[in-house]
Amino acid sequence: MLDYVTDKVQDEARQGEAFAPYASDPNEYKKRFYIESYGCQMNFADSEVVAAILNKEGFGATRNVEEADLIFINTCSIREKAEQTVRKRLTEFRKLKERKRGMLVGVLGCMAERLKSQFLEEEKLVDIVVGPDAYRTLPALVGEAEGGQKAVNVLLSREETYADISPVRLDSNGVSAFVSIMRGCNNMCSFCVVPFTRGRERSRDAASILIECRDLFEKGYREVTLLGQNVDSYYFVDETKDETVTFAKLLEKTALISPLLRVRFSTSHPKDITDDVLYTMAKYENICKYIHLPVQSGSTRVLQLMNRTYTREWYMAKVDRIREIMPECGISSDIIAGFCTEEEEDHRATLDIMKYSRYDFSYMFFYSERPGTLAQRRYKDDIPEDVKKRRLQEIVEVQNRLSLESNQKDVGKIFKVLIEGDSKKNEKEWKGRNTQNKVIVFPKENPELKKGDYVNVKVTDCTQATLLGEIV
Ligand code: 5AD
Ligand code: SF4
């Protein structure tokens, strides 16, 4: 899945520039809510659905936690550390609550789903607990909590996709947006908690996705990322038109909105990405040449224990196929170090497949056992922490080298770049991305250019993380 996580993602989101949903007049709304998101892009997209639901009920967003009547924290359970971060934040909110009587705290998302009413009973940290499929009931739950009742809804659904809700863009840069195309996950990767927290896989109505993307384009957005835990298994039957929409078809329909709208997607499961998708990507210039293709491990034995349903060779053949159809395609990965029973030989196979795949980028983790998962029930978490950390370190070192090599190969090349905004370090420079999803920073020079414009940039230098260039 997507990444994930981290306060870094959160910080970047906070630095966004479009403040549309935040009321300028403090009396405009009957109540003010503050929402903080952790975890994957899907979670950030969900927070925008939550904001839309609350807006409709007369609640306005604020980014000042001190002036909020309601605090929501949209949580992640993927690794223990993600949960610890949330707990720490909740204890900070509790202190605020002691000062501000009547303020309510709600836990949303994966941790709410995993821990359910335990949050209300044992911890007394929060007033409202809502799982990922129950956000429509949030206004009613707020009412219950205000009346002093315990407010919980963690029912998972087989149908809910929030298709009819147009998300309120929070902290967006006004150029790129995430659009959720499906929810849940039917893969049973043995390490992963997601099937338990987000339920069964279901695809969103294709027409509603296209309406949302078209609307974004009309509002000036120039890039959409179609989001799902496993986008390649997107499948929607449109009975009104007697049409079956696969992921390849959906990609094509989105690309046809306008050649000026870039289309990205995440995440692909190596077992499901089809030639049809690859050929559709190759056919349309505005479908970005970048695939996030998590490998998790390079050892067939470990992949089997992880229930990934592909072998090392099968994955390598998929990488070959991508490069054959789109030689210039960027590829990134997720990698787990120290899964149950992992031997040095398995670890070396992971380092080796990284080099084979020449990833431009990877999200790298050490294995964190999650309660209720297949791995937790079946296998012992038997790799000592120091070994996990050392292996992770070796993985990070290989990736750093690969990223640098990949960037060095781009020096001298010219890329079409979509301008996303000011560079973080210097407001005299723009920051944008090329089709391969690499960040490029370059001096502004031409005063007529603005965010959302495309510009050709020649790469003159690079670091391991960023390309540096100049407009040509
Ligand atoms: N421990 C460590 N990493 C995990 N991931 C998922 N579950 C775990 C876990 N229990 C990683 C996988 C996945 C990404 C979203 O997070 O690499 O692709
Ligand atoms: Fe996203 Fe939930 Fe998975 Fe975290 S646990 S990465 S929030 S789906």
Side-chain angles (χ1 to χ4, degrees):
M1 247 217 17
L2 338 158
D3 201 22
Y4 325 101
V5 170
T6 74
D7 310 332
K8 200 165 144 263
V9 177
Q10 178 74 7
D11 286 344
E12 275 180 12
R14 277 199 199 129
Q15 286 164 4
E17 292 158 45
F19 307 139
Y22 296 96
S24 47
D25 173 1
N27 300 318
E28 199 176 323
Y29 292 106
K30 63 180 182 197
K31 284 230 154 65
R32 314 269 273 161
F33 69 92
Y34 169 91
I35 187 161
E36 201 166 280
S37 312
Y38 293 84
C40 57
Q41 289 153 344
M42 188 68 108
N43 242 24
F44 282 73
D46 278 3
S47 292
E48 298 185 334
V49 166
V50 167
I53 291 169
L54 291 172
N55 257 186
K56 206 162 155 242
E57 293 297 314
F59 299 100
T62 171
R63 41 155 77 83
N64 178 0
V65 67
E66 296 276 345
E67 68 176 30
D69 307 295
L70 296 160
I71 295 182
F72 292 110
I73 178 158
N74 198 354
T75 60
C76 174
S77 289
I78 198 102
R79 284 169 290 276
E80 201 183 339
K81 187 150 174 288
E83 292 203 352
Q84 282 164 356
T85 309
V86 166
R87 280 178 193 283
K88 234 177 85 202
R89 203 63 187 127
L90 283 172
T91 51
E92 286 165 18
F93 292 151
R94 177 157 61 187
K95 284 192 204 122
L96 193 66
K97 234 168 109 109
E98 284 161 9
R99 278 196 283 124
K100 282 191 68 178
R101 286 175 63 88
M103 196 185 81
L104 296 174
V105 175
V107 176
L108 315 177
C110 291
M111 236 174 127
E113 193 61 51
R114 200 178 80 71
L115 296 168
K116 304 192 165 61
S117 53
Q118 191 185 318
F119 257 126
L120 295 171
E121 281 146 22
E122 286 172 26
E123 326 216 356
K124 298 209 165 51
L125 280 175
V126 302
D127 308 288
I128 303 167
V129 177
V130 191
D133 285 347
Y135 295 143
R136 286 182 203 266
T137 64
L138 204 47
L141 291 168
V142 169
E144 283 175 27
E146 281 171 343
Q149 282 168 268
K150 287 180 180 169
V152 191
N153 188 349
V154 288
L155 284 177
L156 287 173
S157 156
R158 277 174 184 263
E159 287 98 36
E160 181 63 275
T161 58
Y162 301 111
D164 56 314
I165 294 180
S166 26
V168 160
R169 304 291 159 188
L170 294 164
D171 297 315
S172 149
N173 62 8
V175 176
S176 37
F178 294 108
V179 175
S180 156
I181 64 163
M182 57 204 298
R183 302 183 68 82
C185 186
N186 284 359
N187 293 328
M188 274 287 172
C189 300
S190 63
F191 49 78
C192 190
V193 78
V194 176
F196 306 97
T197 62
R198 287 187 166 267
R200 306 287 293 174
E201 180 184 290
R202 65 224 99 122
S203 296
R204 176 179 168 189
D205 180 332
S208 78
I209 297 169
L210 294 167
I211 290 170
E212 188 175 327
C213 293
R214 220 170 276 130
D215 182 54
L216 284 163
F217 181 71
E218 277 159 17
K219 291 193 171 116
Y221 284 80
R222 289 294 173 265
E223 183 179 278
V224 290
T225 303
L226 306 180
L227 286 184
Q229 252 76 31
N230 185 12
V231 288
D232 300 287
S233 58
Y234 178 88
Y235 188 83
F236 188 80
V237 182
D238 188 337
E239 279 158 7
T240 57
K241 291 192 209 140
D242 199 15
E243 185 187 22
T244 300
V245 186
T246 59
F247 182 59
K249 198 97 211 127
L250 182 72
L251 260 183
E252 175 164 59
K253 284 171 182 278
T254 315
L256 285 171
I257 290 174
S258 166
L260 289 177
L261 181 69
R262 273 189 173 176
V263 186
R264 298 186 183 279
F265 56 90
S266 192
T267 293
S268 301
H269 193 301
K271 79 173 161 54
D272 292 323
I273 188 165
T274 59
D275 271 10
D276 213 11
V277 166
L278 301 181
Y279 283 123
T280 306
M281 289 176 74
K283 183 169 167 198
Y284 293 93
E285 189 269 342
N286 58 328
I287 304 182
C288 290
K289 306 298 175 279
Y290 165 66
I291 300 177
H292 184 57
L293 196 72
V295 68
Q296 313 296 0
S297 166
S299 150
T300 296
R301 188 186 69 81
V302 173
L303 285 168
Q304 249 162 13
L305 296 181
M306 289 177 162
N307 204 18
R308 291 289 287 177
T309 71
Y310 53 84
T311 60
R312 168 187 178 80
E313 288 71 25
W314 200 92
Y315 183 94
M316 287 156 85
K318 199 48 98 176
V319 169
D320 292 345
R321 190 75 180 134
I322 293 170
R323 300 223 190 270
E324 188 185 324
I325 296 174
M326 292 172 289
E328 79 285 27
C329 192
I331 304 181
S332 61
S333 192
D334 291 346
I335 298 164
I336 300 178
F339 186 67
C340 315
T341 79
E342 187 186 74
E343 304 272 352
E344 284 306 315
E345 188 190 338
D346 300 309
H347 169 59
R348 278 196 297 277
T350 297
L351 299 177
D352 185 73
I353 208 166
M354 291 174 71
K355 292 175 203 159
Y356 184 86
S357 309
R358 285 182 276 124
Y359 298 127
D360 300 290
F361 185 81
S362 289
Y363 296 96
M364 301 156 280
F365 317 98
F366 60 80
Y367 174 59
S368 162
E369 187 180 80
R370 306 311 293 135
T373 54
L374 291 181
Q376 184 258 330
R377 283 181 275 150
R378 279 191 201 154
Y379 316 120
K380 196 159 165 264
D381 179 13
D382 59 351
I383 308 301
E385 191 158 316
D386 58 331
V387 177
K388 282 185 184 172
K389 288 196 169 154
R390 194 253 307 149
R391 288 182 188 164
L392 178 61
Q393 187 51 35
E394 288 173 10
I395 288 171
V396 169
E397 279 161 20
V398 167
Q399 185 55 55
N400 286 349
R401 217 171 51 235
L402 291 173
S403 298
L404 182 63
E405 278 168 18
S406 161
N407 282 354
Q408 281 168 340
K409 275 200 202 136
D410 287 340
V411 175
K413 289 188 193 159
I414 295 172
F415 293 106
K416 180 170 163 188
V417 173
L418 173 61
I419 303 179
E420 290 175 12
D422 290 348
S423 104
K424 255 186 251 163
K425 290 189 192 137
N426 182 351
E427 60 180 41
K428 293 199 177 104
E429 289 180 340
W430 290 121
K431 172 199 162 213
R433 270 168 223 267
N434 66 7
T435 186
Q436 288 85 3
N437 207 32
K438 287 190 182 176
V439 173
I440 307 193
V441 172
F442 51 98
K444 286 187 174 172
E445 286 166 28
N446 180 352
E448 276 164 30
L449 283 173
K450 54 186 187 319
K451 242 176 28 167
D453 285 346
Y454 290 98
V455 62
N456 285 325
V457 178
K458 181 171 184 178
V459 178
T460 50
D461 200 359
C462 70
T463 67
Q464 174 198 304
T466 316
L467 300 176
L468 313 169
E470 56 195 30
I471 297 172
V472 289

